[in-house]
Amino acid sequence: MNQILSILKNCQKTNVLIIVFLFLSSFLIRFFLTDFPHLIVFYPDELNYYQIAQNLSRGKFLIVNNESVGFQKILYSLFLTPIFYFFKNPEMQTHCFSALNAFLVSSVIFPAFLIGKLCLKNQKTILLLCFLSLLLSDLSYSLTFRSEN
């Protein structure tokens, strides 16, 4: 933790501003590309994450299809839970899911920056690494309700 704090103290402000700009750009692009009505059709685990989050917001805990489950991957459902709690309109929930997924996927730039600062010396290489980390094809999962986000 001390090493991370010392890295952040020694960062140039322009590099931090570039990283924040890249994050915001990625977030906005991903949000506007994924903000459409979603149907849970293809992946049964999408339904699990969705129903667990919905039931957690209602105080029913790990229930899917009205039965208790031993599903253990609930971190993503915990991120979704406040959306069900604060927004009752399904259309607004879908917009919030898109924003949350875009945020989670775009946040990959911060660990990439820290790892780059630890392992690399050239500032341009670190910024290139951060830019390329936002282009990974795996990040297309921001279109779905999946834990891969």
Side-chain angles (χ1 to χ4, degrees):
M1 186 68 172
N2 290 333
Q3 192 173 14
I4 292 173
L5 291 175
S6 68
I7 289 171
L8 292 174
K9 287 179 186 177
N10 296 331
C11 289
Q12 296 175 355
K13 289 187 181 185
T14 56
N15 287 347
V16 172
L17 289 175
I18 291 171
I19 296 301
V20 170
F21 174 76
L22 287 172
F23 170 76
L24 291 174
S25 300
S26 173
F27 171 78
L28 291 173
I29 290 168
R30 289 178 193 286
F31 175 70
F32 287 117
L33 289 177
T34 62
D35 189 30
F36 58 87
H38 294 171
L39 293 174
I40 301 175
V41 179
F42 300 109
Y43 303 109
D45 55 342
E46 284 183 324
L47 186 58
N48 285 339
Y49 298 122
Y50 185 88
Q51 285 188 342
I52 288 172
Q54 191 175 39
N55 287 326
L56 284 172
S57 72
R58 295 177 182 162
K60 295 182 182 177
F61 302 104
L62 296 177
I63 295 176
V64 174
N65 297 327
N66 294 324
E67 297 214 11
S68 295
V69 294
F71 196 69
Q72 297 175 353
K73 300 179 195 175
I74 65 165
L75 181 60
Y76 181 60
S77 295
L78 292 174
F79 279 112
L80 295 178
T81 299
I83 294 171
F84 285 107
Y85 185 77
F86 291 113
F87 303 101
K88 304 303 180 199
N89 180 353
E91 185 177 341
M92 187 62 181
Q93 290 171 349
T94 303
H95 295 304
C96 291
F97 293 149
S98 297
L100 175 68
N101 288 340
F103 176 83
L104 292 174
V105 168
S106 298
S107 65
V108 71
I109 195 168
F110 300 115
F113 178 70
L114 290 174
I115 292 169
K117 291 292 279 183
L118 283 172
C119 301
L120 303 170
K121 301 291 182 211
N122 188 337
Q123 297 300 318
K124 289 182 181 178
T125 307
I126 294 169
L127 293 175
L128 179 64
L129 168 76
C130 292
F131 176 73
L132 292 176
S133 72
L134 293 173
L135 299 178
L136 296 172
S137 62
D138 292 354
L139 302 183
S140 64
Y141 282 118
S142 63
L143 291 168
T144 64
F145 305 124
R146 309 263 323 252
S147 67
E148 286 83 354
N149 293 329

PDB file of all heavy atoms in Angstrom, residues 1-10:
ATOM      1  N   MET A   1       0.825  -1.190   0.000  1.00  0.00           N
ATOM      2  CA  MET A   1       0.000   0.000   0.000  1.00  0.00           C
ATOM      3  C   MET A   1       0.868   1.252   0.000  1.00  0.00           C
ATOM      4  O   MET A   1       0.557   2.211  -0.688  1.00  0.00           O
ATOM      5  CB  MET A   1      -0.932  -0.045   1.216  1.00  0.00           C
ATOM      6  CG  MET A   1      -1.916   1.057   1.244  1.00  0.00           C
ATOM      7  SD  MET A   1      -3.083   0.849  -0.085  1.00  0.00           S
ATOM      8  CE  MET A   1      -4.232   2.074   0.295  1.00  0.00           C
ATOM      9  N   ASN A   2       1.930   1.234   0.799  1.00  0.00           N
ATOM     10  CA  ASN A   2       2.841   2.388   0.825  1.00  0.00           C
ATOM     11  C   ASN A   2       3.486   2.610  -0.526  1.00  0.00           C
ATOM     12  O   ASN A   2       3.721   3.751  -0.919  1.00  0.00           O
ATOM     13  CB  ASN A   2       3.906   2.197   1.900  1.00  0.00           C
ATOM     14  CG  ASN A   2       3.317   2.288   3.296  1.00  0.00           C
ATOM     15  OD1 ASN A   2       2.302   2.943   3.487  1.00  0.00           O
ATOM     16  ND2 ASN A   2       3.934   1.620   4.245  1.00  0.00           N
ATOM     17  N   GLN A   3       3.771   1.515  -1.232  1.00  0.00           N
ATOM     18  CA  GLN A   3       4.401   1.628  -2.544  1.00  0.00           C
ATOM     19  C   GLN A   3       3.434   2.277  -3.542  1.00  0.00           C
ATOM     20  O   GLN A   3       3.842   3.116  -4.336  1.00  0.00           O
ATOM     21  CB  GLN A   3       4.828   0.246  -3.033  1.00  0.00           C
ATOM     22  CG  GLN A   3       5.728   0.281  -4.238  1.00  0.00           C
ATOM     23  CD  GLN A   3       6.261  -1.107  -4.577  1.00  0.00           C
ATOM     24  OE1 GLN A   3       5.763  -2.107  -4.088  1.00  0.00           O
ATOM     25  NE2 GLN A   3       7.262  -1.137  -5.425  1.00  0.00           N
ATOM     26  N   ILE A   4       2.164   1.924  -3.462  1.00  0.00           N
ATOM     27  CA  ILE A   4       1.163   2.523  -4.343  1.00  0.00           C
ATOM     28  C   ILE A   4       1.032   4.013  -4.046  1.00  0.00           C
ATOM     29  O   ILE A   4       0.978   4.836  -4.958  1.00  0.00           O
ATOM     30  CB  ILE A   4      -0.194   1.806  -4.198  1.00  0.00           C
ATOM     31  CG1 ILE A   4      -0.092   0.391  -4.743  1.00  0.00           C
ATOM     32  CG2 ILE A   4      -1.307   2.574  -4.900  1.00  0.00           C
ATOM     33  CD1 ILE A   4      -1.313  -0.458  -4.497  1.00  0.00           C
ATOM     34  N   LEU A   5       1.012   4.372  -2.779  1.00  0.00           N
ATOM     35  CA  LEU A   5       0.904   5.787  -2.412  1.00  0.00           C
ATOM     36  C   LEU A   5       2.118   6.581  -2.871  1.00  0.00           C
ATOM     37  O   LEU A   5       1.983   7.717  -3.331  1.00  0.00           O
ATOM     38  CB  LEU A   5       0.709   5.923  -0.907  1.00  0.00           C
ATOM     39  CG  LEU A   5      -0.632   5.428  -0.361  1.00  0.00           C
ATOM     40  CD1 LEU A   5      -0.649   5.507   1.152  1.00  0.00           C
ATOM     41  CD2 LEU A   5      -1.779   6.213  -0.955  1.00  0.00           C
ATOM     42  N   SER A   6       3.306   6.000  -2.774  1.00  0.00           N
ATOM     43  CA  SER A   6       4.499   6.714  -3.234  1.00  0.00           C
ATOM     44  C   SER A   6       4.492   6.874  -4.750  1.00  0.00           C
ATOM     45  O   SER A   6       4.942   7.892  -5.273  1.00  0.00           O
ATOM     46  CB  SER A   6       5.767   5.994  -2.770  1.00  0.00           C
ATOM     47  OG  SER A   6       5.904   4.756  -3.421  1.00  0.00           O
ATOM     48  N   ILE A   7       3.963   5.879  -5.456  1.00  0.00           N
ATOM     49  CA  ILE A   7       3.849   5.990  -6.919  1.00  0.00           C
ATOM     50  C   ILE A   7       2.906   7.128  -7.272  1.00  0.00           C
ATOM     51  O   ILE A   7       3.196   7.936  -8.158  1.00  0.00           O
ATOM     52  CB  ILE A   7       3.351   4.664  -7.527  1.00  0.00           C
ATOM     53  CG1 ILE A   7       4.442   3.602  -7.451  1.00  0.00           C
ATOM     54  CG2 ILE A   7       2.907   4.845  -8.973  1.00  0.00           C
ATOM     55  CD1 ILE A   7       3.967   2.215  -7.827  1.00  0.00           C
ATOM     56  N   LEU A   8       1.788   7.198  -6.585  1.00  0.00           N
ATOM     57  CA  LEU A   8       0.814   8.243  -6.881  1.00  0.00           C
ATOM     58  C   LEU A   8       1.341   9.631  -6.551  1.00  0.00           C
ATOM     59  O   LEU A   8       1.032  10.608  -7.237  1.00  0.00           O
ATOM     60  CB  LEU A   8      -0.494   7.968  -6.127  1.00  0.00           C
ATOM     61  CG  LEU A   8      -1.271   6.739  -6.588  1.00  0.00           C
ATOM     62  CD1 LEU A   8      -2.463   6.499  -5.683  1.00  0.00           C
ATOM     63  CD2 LEU A   8      -1.691   6.858  -8.033  1.00  0.00           C
ATOM     64  N   LYS A   9       2.163   9.748  -5.506  1.00  0.00           N
ATOM     65  CA  LYS A   9       2.739  11.044  -5.150  1.00  0.00           C
ATOM     66  C   LYS A   9       3.739  11.521  -6.200  1.00  0.00           C
ATOM     67  O   LYS A   9       3.885  12.713  -6.424  1.00  0.00           O
ATOM     68  CB  LYS A   9       3.431  10.959  -3.786  1.00  0.00           C
ATOM     69  CG  LYS A   9       2.470  10.882  -2.633  1.00  0.00           C
ATOM     70  CD  LYS A   9       3.213  10.781  -1.321  1.00  0.00           C
ATOM     71  CE  LYS A   9       2.276  10.568  -0.166  1.00  0.00           C
ATOM     72  NZ  LYS A   9       2.973  10.386   1.107  1.00  0.00           N
ATOM     73  N   ASN A  10       4.444  10.576  -6.834  1.00  0.00           N
ATOM     74  CA  ASN A  10       5.478  10.923  -7.794  1.00  0.00           C
ATOM     75  C   ASN A  10       4.968  11.067  -9.222  1.00  0.00           C
ATOM     76  O   ASN A  10       5.750  11.311 -10.125  1.00  0.00           O
ATOM     77  CB  ASN A  10       6.602   9.882  -7.755  1.00  0.00           C
ATOM     78  CG  ASN A  10       7.309   9.874  -6.425  1.00  0.00           C
ATOM     79  OD1 ASN A  10       7.381  10.893  -5.742  1.00  0.00           O
ATOM     80  ND2 ASN A  10       7.818   8.720  -6.032  1.00  0.00           N
TER      81      ASN A  10
END
